[in-house]
Amino acid sequence: MKKISEFSKRARIATGGVVLAAVAAGTFGTMSASAATPAAAPMANVKGNTTTTSTHLTVEAATKAAQAALDAAKKENQRVSVAVVDRNGNTIVTLRGDGAGPQAYESAVKKAYTAVSWNAPTSELAKRLQQTPNLKDIPGTLFLGGGAPVDAKNAPIAGVGVAGAPSGDLDEKFAQAGVAALN
């Protein structure tokens, strides 16, 4: 390692300039940051009936439902994917069964979302398309048999969707097996 005296005068001046600039920037940054700190926003103290509490499935319960649906499909030699979504349509868990088609994963999520959104099995909702065909245009929904809602205290809290069997009736049968595992 070279001693400082071995560096050229030019290198020493450049190094000193860099150190000086770094110190100046640090001092300026500290001063400007402290000068620009806004006052803390007041906290809201919500009172009365302005909030709600909702019930959600745990990851363990969602996994139990998904596994029960997948097991029901395996017993009938069906290759499916299963999805469980929460009340807001967020996916909690998905299981892609061995040999399930590539479309099954996304279809299962959409069926679960559709079931919880309307709190009805998707086979029933598919029948409503005759009266209101534009329902199928709602983003993220799929009006084919295979989705079943999960409710607690008469309110929807989740949906189980199954896709990949040769018919929506079978998909829905397996989704119902997932729901039944939660009872």
Side-chain angles (χ1 to χ4, degrees), residues 139-179:
T141 59
L142 186 57
F143 291 88
L144 297 173
V150 177
D151 61 39
K153 300 177 186 170
N154 297 319
I157 62 165
V160 178
V162 177
S167 73
D169 291 340
L170 281 174
D171 285 339
E172 199 158 304
K173 176 183 175 181
F174 305 144
Q176 291 291 354
V179 173

PDB file of all heavy atoms in Angstrom, residues 139-179:
ATOM      1  N   PRO A 139     -65.007  -7.952 -15.114  1.00  0.00           N
ATOM      2  CA  PRO A 139     -63.630  -8.453 -15.045  1.00  0.00           C
ATOM      3  C   PRO A 139     -63.395  -9.412 -13.878  1.00  0.00           C
ATOM      4  O   PRO A 139     -63.896  -9.196 -12.775  1.00  0.00           O
ATOM      5  CB  PRO A 139     -62.793  -7.183 -14.863  1.00  0.00           C
ATOM      6  CG  PRO A 139     -63.649  -6.078 -15.368  1.00  0.00           C
ATOM      7  CD  PRO A 139     -65.064  -6.493 -15.079  1.00  0.00           C
ATOM      8  N   GLY A 140     -62.655 -10.465 -14.155  1.00  0.00           N
ATOM      9  CA  GLY A 140     -62.252 -11.415 -13.121  1.00  0.00           C
ATOM     10  C   GLY A 140     -63.269 -12.496 -12.812  1.00  0.00           C
ATOM     11  O   GLY A 140     -63.023 -13.340 -11.960  1.00  0.00           O
ATOM     12  N   THR A 141     -64.427 -12.465 -13.481  1.00  0.00           N
ATOM     13  CA  THR A 141     -65.467 -13.443 -13.180  1.00  0.00           C
ATOM     14  C   THR A 141     -65.497 -14.553 -14.227  1.00  0.00           C
ATOM     15  O   THR A 141     -65.021 -14.378 -15.341  1.00  0.00           O
ATOM     16  CB  THR A 141     -66.852 -12.776 -13.127  1.00  0.00           C
ATOM     17  OG1 THR A 141     -67.132 -12.160 -14.380  1.00  0.00           O
ATOM     18  CG2 THR A 141     -66.923 -11.748 -12.014  1.00  0.00           C
ATOM     19  N   LEU A 142     -66.072 -15.684 -13.838  1.00  0.00           N
ATOM     20  CA  LEU A 142     -66.251 -16.800 -14.757  1.00  0.00           C
ATOM     21  C   LEU A 142     -67.532 -17.529 -14.361  1.00  0.00           C
ATOM     22  O   LEU A 142     -67.629 -18.099 -13.275  1.00  0.00           O
ATOM     23  CB  LEU A 142     -65.057 -17.751 -14.711  1.00  0.00           C
ATOM     24  CG  LEU A 142     -65.048 -18.882 -15.730  1.00  0.00           C
ATOM     25  CD1 LEU A 142     -65.134 -18.349 -17.165  1.00  0.00           C
ATOM     26  CD2 LEU A 142     -63.790 -19.723 -15.568  1.00  0.00           C
ATOM     27  N   PHE A 143     -68.514 -17.456 -15.217  1.00  0.00           N
ATOM     28  CA  PHE A 143     -69.827 -18.015 -14.937  1.00  0.00           C
ATOM     29  C   PHE A 143     -69.943 -19.425 -15.504  1.00  0.00           C
ATOM     30  O   PHE A 143     -70.698 -19.686 -16.431  1.00  0.00           O
ATOM     31  CB  PHE A 143     -70.918 -17.090 -15.494  1.00  0.00           C
ATOM     32  CG  PHE A 143     -70.996 -15.794 -14.748  1.00  0.00           C
ATOM     33  CD1 PHE A 143     -70.207 -14.722 -15.122  1.00  0.00           C
ATOM     34  CD2 PHE A 143     -71.824 -15.658 -13.648  1.00  0.00           C
ATOM     35  CE1 PHE A 143     -70.259 -13.528 -14.430  1.00  0.00           C
ATOM     36  CE2 PHE A 143     -71.877 -14.467 -12.937  1.00  0.00           C
ATOM     37  CZ  PHE A 143     -71.093 -13.394 -13.330  1.00  0.00           C
ATOM     38  N   LEU A 144     -69.185 -20.332 -14.932  1.00  0.00           N
ATOM     39  CA  LEU A 144     -69.233 -21.757 -15.247  1.00  0.00           C
ATOM     40  C   LEU A 144     -69.295 -22.500 -13.925  1.00  0.00           C
ATOM     41  O   LEU A 144     -68.737 -22.039 -12.922  1.00  0.00           O
ATOM     42  CB  LEU A 144     -67.983 -22.197 -16.007  1.00  0.00           C
ATOM     43  CG  LEU A 144     -67.728 -21.576 -17.377  1.00  0.00           C
ATOM     44  CD1 LEU A 144     -66.360 -22.016 -17.899  1.00  0.00           C
ATOM     45  CD2 LEU A 144     -68.825 -21.972 -18.347  1.00  0.00           C
ATOM     46  N   GLY A 145     -69.937 -23.646 -13.894  1.00  0.00           N
ATOM     47  CA  GLY A 145     -69.988 -24.440 -12.674  1.00  0.00           C
ATOM     48  C   GLY A 145     -68.591 -24.740 -12.157  1.00  0.00           C
ATOM     49  O   GLY A 145     -67.660 -24.961 -12.929  1.00  0.00           O
ATOM     50  N   GLY A 146     -68.446 -24.717 -10.828  1.00  0.00           N
ATOM     51  CA  GLY A 146     -67.153 -25.035 -10.220  1.00  0.00           C
ATOM     52  C   GLY A 146     -66.769 -24.116  -9.088  1.00  0.00           C
ATOM     53  O   GLY A 146     -65.738 -24.296  -8.463  1.00  0.00           O
ATOM     54  N   GLY A 147     -67.596 -23.124  -8.786  1.00  0.00           N
ATOM     55  CA  GLY A 147     -67.305 -22.221  -7.681  1.00  0.00           C
ATOM     56  C   GLY A 147     -68.362 -22.354  -6.605  1.00  0.00           C
ATOM     57  O   GLY A 147     -69.544 -22.472  -6.906  1.00  0.00           O
ATOM     58  N   ALA A 148     -67.943 -22.340  -5.351  1.00  0.00           N
ATOM     59  CA  ALA A 148     -68.866 -22.443  -4.227  1.00  0.00           C
ATOM     60  C   ALA A 148     -68.494 -21.420  -3.163  1.00  0.00           C
ATOM     61  O   ALA A 148     -67.313 -21.284  -2.825  1.00  0.00           O
ATOM     62  CB  ALA A 148     -68.825 -23.850  -3.637  1.00  0.00           C
ATOM     63  N   PRO A 149     -69.481 -20.694  -2.640  1.00  0.00           N
ATOM     64  CA  PRO A 149     -69.183 -19.713  -1.592  1.00  0.00           C
ATOM     65  C   PRO A 149     -69.025 -20.363  -0.227  1.00  0.00           C
ATOM     66  O   PRO A 149     -69.561 -21.442   0.028  1.00  0.00           O
ATOM     67  CB  PRO A 149     -70.416 -18.809  -1.614  1.00  0.00           C
ATOM     68  CG  PRO A 149     -71.525 -19.711  -2.044  1.00  0.00           C
ATOM     69  CD  PRO A 149     -70.895 -20.694  -3.010  1.00  0.00           C
ATOM     70  N   VAL A 150     -68.289 -19.687   0.630  1.00  0.00           N
ATOM     71  CA  VAL A 150     -68.142 -20.077   2.026  1.00  0.00           C
ATOM     72  C   VAL A 150     -68.732 -18.924   2.824  1.00  0.00           C
ATOM     73  O   VAL A 150     -68.378 -17.771   2.589  1.00  0.00           O
ATOM     74  CB  VAL A 150     -66.653 -20.267   2.409  1.00  0.00           C
ATOM     75  CG1 VAL A 150     -66.510 -20.593   3.887  1.00  0.00           C
ATOM     76  CG2 VAL A 150     -66.000 -21.332   1.538  1.00  0.00           C
ATOM     77  N   ASP A 151     -69.640 -19.240   3.757  1.00  0.00           N
ATOM     78  CA  ASP A 151     -70.180 -18.142   4.548  1.00  0.00           C
ATOM     79  C   ASP A 151     -70.054 -18.419   6.035  1.00  0.00           C
ATOM     80  O   ASP A 151     -69.854 -19.548   6.467  1.00  0.00           O
ATOM     81  CB  ASP A 151     -71.618 -17.807   4.165  1.00  0.00           C
ATOM     82  CG  ASP A 151     -72.592 -18.941   4.379  1.00  0.00           C
ATOM     83  OD1 ASP A 151     -72.477 -19.658   5.378  1.00  0.00           O
ATOM     84  OD2 ASP A 151     -73.484 -19.101   3.542  1.00  0.00           O
ATOM     85  N   ALA A 152     -70.133 -17.344   6.785  1.00  0.00           N
ATOM     86  CA  ALA A 152     -70.126 -17.405   8.248  1.00  0.00           C
ATOM     87  C   ALA A 152     -71.146 -16.381   8.716  1.00  0.00           C
ATOM     88  O   ALA A 152     -71.141 -15.230   8.244  1.00  0.00           O
ATOM     89  CB  ALA A 152     -68.737 -17.078   8.792  1.00  0.00           C
ATOM     90  N   LYS A 153     -72.026 -16.795   9.575  1.00  0.00           N
ATOM     91  CA  LYS A 153     -73.072 -15.910  10.086  1.00  0.00           C
ATOM     92  C   LYS A 153     -73.872 -15.290   8.944  1.00  0.00           C
ATOM     93  O   LYS A 153     -74.132 -14.092   8.924  1.00  0.00           O
ATOM     94  CB  LYS A 153     -72.478 -14.843  10.990  1.00  0.00           C
ATOM     95  CG  LYS A 153     -71.762 -15.408  12.204  1.00  0.00           C
ATOM     96  CD  LYS A 153     -71.117 -14.327  13.027  1.00  0.00           C
ATOM     97  CE  LYS A 153     -70.302 -14.968  14.145  1.00  0.00           C
ATOM     98  NZ  LYS A 153     -69.462 -14.017  14.846  1.00  0.00           N
ATOM     99  N   ASN A 154     -74.185 -16.116   7.957  1.00  0.00           N
ATOM    100  CA  ASN A 154     -74.989 -15.721   6.791  1.00  0.00           C
ATOM    101  C   ASN A 154     -74.355 -14.632   5.941  1.00  0.00           C
ATOM    102  O   ASN A 154     -75.054 -13.909   5.228  1.00  0.00           O
ATOM    103  CB  ASN A 154     -76.397 -15.303   7.220  1.00  0.00           C
ATOM    104  CG  ASN A 154     -77.145 -16.457   7.849  1.00  0.00           C
ATOM    105  OD1 ASN A 154     -77.062 -17.588   7.376  1.00  0.00           O
ATOM    106  ND2 ASN A 154     -77.854 -16.185   8.922  1.00  0.00           N
ATOM    107  N   ALA A 155     -73.046 -14.514   5.991  1.00  0.00           N
ATOM    108  CA  ALA A 155     -72.338 -13.544   5.150  1.00  0.00           C
ATOM    109  C   ALA A 155     -71.201 -14.265   4.422  1.00  0.00           C
ATOM    110  O   ALA A 155     -70.522 -15.112   5.013  1.00  0.00           O
ATOM    111  CB  ALA A 155     -71.768 -12.412   5.996  1.00  0.00           C
ATOM    112  N   PRO A 156     -70.987 -13.950   3.143  1.00  0.00           N
ATOM    113  CA  PRO A 156     -69.893 -14.613   2.410  1.00  0.00           C
ATOM    114  C   PRO A 156     -68.533 -14.170   2.941  1.00  0.00           C
ATOM    115  O   PRO A 156     -68.307 -12.987   3.177  1.00  0.00           O
ATOM    116  CB  PRO A 156     -70.102 -14.132   0.976  1.00  0.00           C
ATOM    117  CG  PRO A 156     -70.834 -12.839   1.105  1.00  0.00           C
ATOM    118  CD  PRO A 156     -71.679 -12.957   2.338  1.00  0.00           C
ATOM    119  N   ILE A 157     -67.660 -15.148   3.158  1.00  0.00           N
ATOM    120  CA  ILE A 157     -66.314 -14.829   3.641  1.00  0.00           C
ATOM    121  C   ILE A 157     -65.222 -15.371   2.725  1.00  0.00           C
ATOM    122  O   ILE A 157     -64.061 -14.974   2.854  1.00  0.00           O
ATOM    123  CB  ILE A 157     -66.072 -15.338   5.081  1.00  0.00           C
ATOM    124  CG1 ILE A 157     -66.176 -16.866   5.155  1.00  0.00           C
ATOM    125  CG2 ILE A 157     -67.024 -14.661   6.052  1.00  0.00           C
ATOM    126  CD1 ILE A 157     -65.608 -17.459   6.416  1.00  0.00           C
ATOM    127  N   ALA A 158     -65.575 -16.281   1.817  1.00  0.00           N
ATOM    128  CA  ALA A 158     -64.564 -16.873   0.934  1.00  0.00           C
ATOM    129  C   ALA A 158     -65.276 -17.590  -0.208  1.00  0.00           C
ATOM    130  O   ALA A 158     -66.496 -17.762  -0.196  1.00  0.00           O
ATOM    131  CB  ALA A 158     -63.682 -17.857   1.703  1.00  0.00           C
ATOM    132  N   GLY A 159     -64.479 -18.004  -1.181  1.00  0.00           N
ATOM    133  CA  GLY A 159     -64.986 -18.810  -2.274  1.00  0.00           C
ATOM    134  C   GLY A 159     -63.992 -19.903  -2.601  1.00  0.00           C
ATOM    135  O   GLY A 159     -62.784 -19.690  -2.500  1.00  0.00           O
ATOM    136  N   VAL A 160     -64.507 -21.074  -2.955  1.00  0.00           N
ATOM    137  CA  VAL A 160     -63.667 -22.192  -3.394  1.00  0.00           C
ATOM    138  C   VAL A 160     -63.974 -22.412  -4.866  1.00  0.00           C
ATOM    139  O   VAL A 160     -65.144 -22.542  -5.243  1.00  0.00           O
ATOM    140  CB  VAL A 160     -63.966 -23.475  -2.591  1.00  0.00           C
ATOM    141  CG1 VAL A 160     -63.112 -24.641  -3.103  1.00  0.00           C
ATOM    142  CG2 VAL A 160     -63.738 -23.253  -1.101  1.00  0.00           C
ATOM    143  N   GLY A 161     -62.943 -22.424  -5.678  1.00  0.00           N
ATOM    144  CA  GLY A 161     -63.111 -22.658  -7.101  1.00  0.00           C
ATOM    145  C   GLY A 161     -62.318 -23.863  -7.556  1.00  0.00           C
ATOM    146  O   GLY A 161     -61.190 -24.066  -7.115  1.00  0.00           O
ATOM    147  N   VAL A 162     -62.921 -24.657  -8.420  1.00  0.00           N
ATOM    148  CA  VAL A 162     -62.262 -25.845  -8.978  1.00  0.00           C
ATOM    149  C   VAL A 162     -62.437 -25.802 -10.486  1.00  0.00           C
ATOM    150  O   VAL A 162     -63.514 -25.474 -10.986  1.00  0.00           O
ATOM    151  CB  VAL A 162     -62.877 -27.148  -8.412  1.00  0.00           C
ATOM    152  CG1 VAL A 162     -62.236 -28.376  -9.059  1.00  0.00           C
ATOM    153  CG2 VAL A 162     -62.715 -27.203  -6.894  1.00  0.00           C
ATOM    154  N   ALA A 163     -61.390 -26.141 -11.200  1.00  0.00           N
ATOM    155  CA  ALA A 163     -61.450 -26.183 -12.664  1.00  0.00           C
ATOM    156  C   ALA A 163     -60.558 -27.305 -13.177  1.00  0.00           C
ATOM    157  O   ALA A 163     -59.530 -27.611 -12.583  1.00  0.00           O
ATOM    158  CB  ALA A 163     -61.013 -24.845 -13.253  1.00  0.00           C
ATOM    159  N   GLY A 164     -60.998 -27.893 -14.291  1.00  0.00           N
ATOM    160  CA  GLY A 164     -60.186 -28.916 -14.937  1.00  0.00           C
ATOM    161  C   GLY A 164     -60.904 -30.214 -15.211  1.00  0.00           C
ATOM    162  O   GLY A 164     -60.475 -31.006 -16.047  1.00  0.00           O
ATOM    163  N   ALA A 165     -61.993 -30.482 -14.499  1.00  0.00           N
ATOM    164  CA  ALA A 165     -62.762 -31.705 -14.761  1.00  0.00           C
ATOM    165  C   ALA A 165     -63.521 -31.529 -16.075  1.00  0.00           C
ATOM    166  O   ALA A 165     -63.670 -30.406 -16.559  1.00  0.00           O
ATOM    167  CB  ALA A 165     -63.725 -31.981 -13.609  1.00  0.00           C
ATOM    168  N   PRO A 166     -64.017 -32.612 -16.653  1.00  0.00           N
ATOM    169  CA  PRO A 166     -64.706 -32.500 -17.936  1.00  0.00           C
ATOM    170  C   PRO A 166     -66.013 -31.707 -17.899  1.00  0.00           C
ATOM    171  O   PRO A 166     -66.514 -31.324 -18.944  1.00  0.00           O
ATOM    172  CB  PRO A 166     -64.991 -33.947 -18.336  1.00  0.00           C
ATOM    173  CG  PRO A 166     -64.258 -34.815 -17.403  1.00  0.00           C
ATOM    174  CD  PRO A 166     -63.846 -33.999 -16.241  1.00  0.00           C
ATOM    175  N   SER A 167     -66.563 -31.464 -16.702  1.00  0.00           N
ATOM    176  CA  SER A 167     -67.806 -30.681 -16.639  1.00  0.00           C
ATOM    177  C   SER A 167     -67.794 -29.764 -15.422  1.00  0.00           C
ATOM    178  O   SER A 167     -67.134 -30.044 -14.416  1.00  0.00           O
ATOM    179  CB  SER A 167     -69.028 -31.603 -16.559  1.00  0.00           C
ATOM    180  OG  SER A 167     -69.119 -32.189 -15.273  1.00  0.00           O
ATOM    181  N   GLY A 168     -68.552 -28.694 -15.532  1.00  0.00           N
ATOM    182  CA  GLY A 168     -68.706 -27.779 -14.411  1.00  0.00           C
ATOM    183  C   GLY A 168     -69.398 -28.429 -13.229  1.00  0.00           C
ATOM    184  O   GLY A 168     -69.151 -28.066 -12.076  1.00  0.00           O
ATOM    185  N   ASP A 169     -70.268 -29.402 -13.512  1.00  0.00           N
ATOM    186  CA  ASP A 169     -70.957 -30.107 -12.433  1.00  0.00           C
ATOM    187  C   ASP A 169     -69.958 -30.848 -11.542  1.00  0.00           C
ATOM    188  O   ASP A 169     -70.065 -30.827 -10.317  1.00  0.00           O
ATOM    189  CB  ASP A 169     -71.975 -31.103 -12.985  1.00  0.00           C
ATOM    190  CG  ASP A 169     -73.159 -30.424 -13.652  1.00  0.00           C
ATOM    191  OD1 ASP A 169     -73.402 -29.228 -13.371  1.00  0.00           O
ATOM    192  OD2 ASP A 169     -73.847 -31.089 -14.453  1.00  0.00           O
ATOM    193  N   LEU A 170     -68.981 -31.505 -12.173  1.00  0.00           N
ATOM    194  CA  LEU A 170     -67.954 -32.192 -11.386  1.00  0.00           C
ATOM    195  C   LEU A 170     -67.086 -31.191 -10.631  1.00  0.00           C
ATOM    196  O   LEU A 170     -66.802 -31.386  -9.448  1.00  0.00           O
ATOM    197  CB  LEU A 170     -67.073 -33.063 -12.290  1.00  0.00           C
ATOM    198  CG  LEU A 170     -67.637 -34.400 -12.718  1.00  0.00           C
ATOM    199  CD1 LEU A 170     -66.720 -35.079 -13.729  1.00  0.00           C
ATOM    200  CD2 LEU A 170     -67.857 -35.301 -11.511  1.00  0.00           C
ATOM    201  N   ASP A 171     -66.678 -30.125 -11.319  1.00  0.00           N
ATOM    202  CA  ASP A 171     -65.868 -29.097 -10.652  1.00  0.00           C
ATOM    203  C   ASP A 171     -66.591 -28.582  -9.408  1.00  0.00           C
ATOM    204  O   ASP A 171     -66.001 -28.439  -8.337  1.00  0.00           O
ATOM    205  CB  ASP A 171     -65.594 -27.928 -11.601  1.00  0.00           C
ATOM    206  CG  ASP A 171     -64.545 -28.230 -12.657  1.00  0.00           C
ATOM    207  OD1 ASP A 171     -63.737 -29.159 -12.476  1.00  0.00           O
ATOM    208  OD2 ASP A 171     -64.530 -27.508 -13.678  1.00  0.00           O
ATOM    209  N   GLU A 172     -67.880 -28.325  -9.556  1.00  0.00           N
ATOM    210  CA  GLU A 172     -68.641 -27.779  -8.425  1.00  0.00           C
ATOM    211  C   GLU A 172     -68.818 -28.806  -7.314  1.00  0.00           C
ATOM    212  O   GLU A 172     -68.789 -28.454  -6.131  1.00  0.00           O
ATOM    213  CB  GLU A 172     -69.992 -27.254  -8.889  1.00  0.00           C
ATOM    214  CG  GLU A 172     -70.591 -26.295  -7.884  1.00  0.00           C
ATOM    215  CD  GLU A 172     -71.610 -25.384  -8.522  1.00  0.00           C
ATOM    216  OE1 GLU A 172     -71.281 -24.688  -9.506  1.00  0.00           O
ATOM    217  OE2 GLU A 172     -72.737 -25.382  -8.022  1.00  0.00           O
ATOM    218  N   LYS A 173     -68.965 -30.046  -7.674  1.00  0.00           N
ATOM    219  CA  LYS A 173     -69.051 -31.120  -6.675  1.00  0.00           C
ATOM    220  C   LYS A 173     -67.782 -31.121  -5.819  1.00  0.00           C
ATOM    221  O   LYS A 173     -67.850 -31.243  -4.595  1.00  0.00           O
ATOM    222  CB  LYS A 173     -69.229 -32.462  -7.390  1.00  0.00           C
ATOM    223  CG  LYS A 173     -69.234 -33.673  -6.495  1.00  0.00           C
ATOM    224  CD  LYS A 173     -69.357 -34.937  -7.348  1.00  0.00           C
ATOM    225  CE  LYS A 173     -69.239 -36.195  -6.529  1.00  0.00           C
ATOM    226  NZ  LYS A 173     -69.325 -37.408  -7.382  1.00  0.00           N
ATOM    227  N   PHE A 174     -66.639 -30.962  -6.473  1.00  0.00           N
ATOM    228  CA  PHE A 174     -65.364 -30.964  -5.733  1.00  0.00           C
ATOM    229  C   PHE A 174     -65.215 -29.684  -4.900  1.00  0.00           C
ATOM    230  O   PHE A 174     -64.711 -29.725  -3.782  1.00  0.00           O
ATOM    231  CB  PHE A 174     -64.194 -31.125  -6.710  1.00  0.00           C
ATOM    232  CG  PHE A 174     -64.309 -32.334  -7.600  1.00  0.00           C
ATOM    233  CD1 PHE A 174     -63.877 -32.286  -8.922  1.00  0.00           C
ATOM    234  CD2 PHE A 174     -64.854 -33.521  -7.141  1.00  0.00           C
ATOM    235  CE1 PHE A 174     -63.984 -33.388  -9.761  1.00  0.00           C
ATOM    236  CE2 PHE A 174     -64.961 -34.659  -7.967  1.00  0.00           C
ATOM    237  CZ  PHE A 174     -64.521 -34.579  -9.269  1.00  0.00           C
ATOM    238  N   ALA A 175     -65.681 -28.548  -5.425  1.00  0.00           N
ATOM    239  CA  ALA A 175     -65.645 -27.303  -4.663  1.00  0.00           C
ATOM    240  C   ALA A 175     -66.513 -27.423  -3.413  1.00  0.00           C
ATOM    241  O   ALA A 175     -66.125 -26.972  -2.318  1.00  0.00           O
ATOM    242  CB  ALA A 175     -66.109 -26.129  -5.536  1.00  0.00           C
ATOM    243  N   GLN A 176     -67.684 -28.055  -3.563  1.00  0.00           N
ATOM    244  CA  GLN A 176     -68.571 -28.254  -2.412  1.00  0.00           C
ATOM    245  C   GLN A 176     -67.916 -29.157  -1.363  1.00  0.00           C
ATOM    246  O   GLN A 176     -68.113 -28.975  -0.159  1.00  0.00           O
ATOM    247  CB  GLN A 176     -69.912 -28.843  -2.858  1.00  0.00           C
ATOM    248  CG  GLN A 176     -70.767 -27.899  -3.658  1.00  0.00           C
ATOM    249  CD  GLN A 176     -71.317 -26.732  -2.851  1.00  0.00           C
ATOM    250  OE1 GLN A 176     -71.167 -26.630  -1.652  1.00  0.00           O
ATOM    251  NE2 GLN A 176     -71.948 -25.801  -3.557  1.00  0.00           N
ATOM    252  N   ALA A 177     -67.100 -30.121  -1.807  1.00  0.00           N
ATOM    253  CA  ALA A 177     -66.367 -30.975  -0.865  1.00  0.00           C
ATOM    254  C   ALA A 177     -65.373 -30.141  -0.066  1.00  0.00           C
ATOM    255  O   ALA A 177     -65.157 -30.376   1.135  1.00  0.00           O
ATOM    256  CB  ALA A 177     -65.642 -32.103  -1.609  1.00  0.00           C
ATOM    257  N   GLY A 178     -64.788 -29.147  -0.717  1.00  0.00           N
ATOM    258  CA  GLY A 178     -63.892 -28.230  -0.006  1.00  0.00           C
ATOM    259  C   GLY A 178     -64.619 -27.415   1.038  1.00  0.00           C
ATOM    260  O   GLY A 178     -64.146 -27.249   2.176  1.00  0.00           O
ATOM    261  N   VAL A 179     -65.791 -26.909   0.674  1.00  0.00           N
ATOM    262  CA  VAL A 179     -66.604 -26.132   1.625  1.00  0.00           C
ATOM    263  C   VAL A 179     -67.029 -27.016   2.795  1.00  0.00           C
ATOM    264  O   VAL A 179     -66.961 -26.601   3.956  1.00  0.00           O
ATOM    265  CB  VAL A 179     -67.834 -25.516   0.919  1.00  0.00           C
ATOM    266  CG1 VAL A 179     -68.776 -24.861   1.935  1.00  0.00           C
ATOM    267  CG2 VAL A 179     -67.398 -24.502  -0.135  1.00  0.00           C
TER     268      VAL A 179
END
